[in-house]
Amino acid sequence: MLTVTVRAESWPIRGVFRIARGARTEARVVIVEMADGDARGRGECVPYPHYGETVEGVVAAIEALIPALRDGADRDALQELLPAGAARNAVDCALWDLAAKRAGRRVWDVAEMAAPGPVTTAYTISLDAPEVMGAAARDAAHRPLLKLKLTGDGDLERIAAVRAAAPTSRIIVDANEAWTPSMFHDAVPRLLDLRVDMIEQPFPASNDEVLRELDRPIPVTADEACHTRSDLDRLVGCYDLVNIKLDKTGGLTEARALMDAARLRGFGIMVGCMIGTSLGVAPAMVLAPGAAYVDLDAPLLLARDRPEGLRSEGSTLFPPEATLWG
């Protein structure tokens, strides 16, 4: 008989992780474990307050689903039983892990997907004063791709400080919905001078139609504006890429479908994550082959990770071992 347990965990972040909407010193995650005989599957999610989620609410939603899971609800049924979001992500990824363990095969073989290899992840420079971000970039100047968290006023000074400190690194920037159209218009020429590769979610998702009218010499990526396939049609003509995060899609099942549908519409792909442990990032590694940008640095930002966590060398992440997931 299938047994299902749910619990919350806290993992300390190295220093402070700060974006336009606030700061954190710990990652709060929810873990789902499923056991069927000797087979055991796990999934992790990160409840996100910006989307109305709490740790307690996610735990309660998963606990309410346990009878259906014991009665045989599978990944397809799960798409109707829970909405897209953190709770469904943890359950969906646990079901994928359990299926791989039952089959004695790696999850990408079960899913008939290409096996992931080592990938270069972006490394995040947390939002702060220009001189602080410059100092952080100097320490990270050996990393090939830096992602800067921004907030609006003073952002050009922040980017310039990072570029001076890390002259050879590629740079992408994430405004987390904090810019205005006038900021975007005024900033783009300078961003070109500073060799910025990409701009992520400059405007609020509820007010991004203006992107249709703005020149985009630097590609723009939808993050908060793109959760599932249902969002894609509205985004055509506004964005150049979409950022696929399992905590938004509600798991690997919808994430795979979103990736295929986005490519058919001409979008480039970014694969991202919330701040959690390697267990939460591991399923996203399955999506990394062929992505234009991989932003899966969450384990690198923690003060400590799971003992069986993803292996890394600098900004290179290696596929998960079966002892972690999949």
Side-chain angles (χ1 to χ4, degrees):
M1 177 180 176
L2 182 71
T3 61
V4 183
T5 59
V6 189
R7 68 178 183 276
E9 296 177 346
S10 293
W11 293 81
I13 295 171
R14 233 182 318 108
V16 178
F17 183 79
R18 185 177 290 107
I19 66 172
R21 286 190 286 268
R24 285 180 287 160
T25 57
E26 65 176 3
R28 299 190 68 201
V29 306
V30 174
I31 309 299
V32 174
E33 293 189 355
M34 300 179 182
D36 180 18
D38 293 333
R40 175 171 167 261
R42 298 190 298 170
E44 175 184 301
C45 69
V46 182
Y48 199 38
H50 184 63
Y51 299 139
E53 296 174 335
T54 64
V55 168
E56 296 76 17
V58 165
V59 168
I62 296 170
E63 287 178 339
L65 190 69
I66 290 175
L69 293 169
R70 288 174 175 162
D71 287 342
D74 59 10
R75 293 188 303 272
D76 290 335
L78 178 64
Q79 310 309 303
E80 302 299 326
L81 292 171
L82 283 177
R88 194 173 80 187
N89 177 33
V91 177
D92 184 75
C93 289
L95 286 168
W96 275 108
D97 191 25
L98 183 63
K101 299 300 196 298
R102 282 168 167 165
R105 303 163 63 202
R106 296 313 307 268
V107 72
W108 41 86
D109 295 324
V110 173
E112 298 182 341
M113 297 177 70
V119 296
T120 298
T121 180
Y123 184 81
T124 303
I125 304 295
S126 188
L127 174 65
D128 216 312
E131 60 273 17
V132 177
M133 293 181 70
R138 192 170 298 110
D139 291 340
H142 61 287
R143 297 182 182 275
L145 180 62
L146 301 179
K147 176 175 174 175
L148 315 188
K149 290 293 189 177
L150 302 178
T151 190
D153 291 339
D155 282 346
L156 288 179
E157 291 80 1
R158 293 180 175 93
I159 300 167
V162 169
R163 172 51 73 206
T168 64
S169 299
R170 296 170 61 205
I171 290 176
I172 58 179
V173 300
D174 183 5
N176 283 117
E177 305 182 282
W179 285 5
T180 65
S182 62
M183 284 179 182
F184 182 95
H185 179 271
D186 294 343
V188 164
R190 181 64 175 140
L191 298 185
L192 288 168
D193 291 340
L194 292 167
R195 293 180 284 125
V196 170
D197 276 24
M198 182 267 282
I199 302 167
E200 188 176 347
Q201 199 67 50
F203 309 138
S206 60
N207 191 30
D208 58 3
E209 289 287 333
V210 68
L211 282 166
R212 297 184 191 280
E213 305 163 13
L214 294 172
D215 290 334
R216 301 195 305 272
I218 299 173
V220 178
T221 297
D223 182 4
E224 286 87 349
C226 183
H227 291 239
T228 67
R229 286 168 289 173
S230 64
D231 297 313
L232 288 174
D233 288 342
R234 188 188 72 80
L235 304 181
V236 174
C238 291
Y239 296 93
D240 306 291
L241 302 96
V242 295
N243 188 353
I244 300 175
K245 295 179 179 176
L246 301 190
D247 278 310
K248 294 187 302 176
T249 66
L252 182 59
T253 300
E254 172 62 23
R256 295 174 67 203
L258 171 58
M259 177 176 280
D260 291 342
R263 283 178 168 151
L264 285 174
R265 288 166 173 79
F267 289 107
I269 303 298
M270 180 177 185
V271 176
C273 64
M274 305 301 187
I275 304 300
T277 78
S278 283
L279 178 58
V281 169
M285 289 287 290
V286 179
L287 304 174
Y293 296 96
V294 174
D295 181 23
L296 299 178
D297 64 342
L300 307 182
L301 303 177
L302 297 180
R304 59 181 176 86
D305 191 16
R306 300 184 186 279
E308 71 281 26
L310 294 171
R311 182 166 70 91
S312 63
E313 294 177 4
S315 291
T316 300
L317 291 180
F318 293 85
E321 298 292 338
T323 51
L324 174 66
W325 182 85

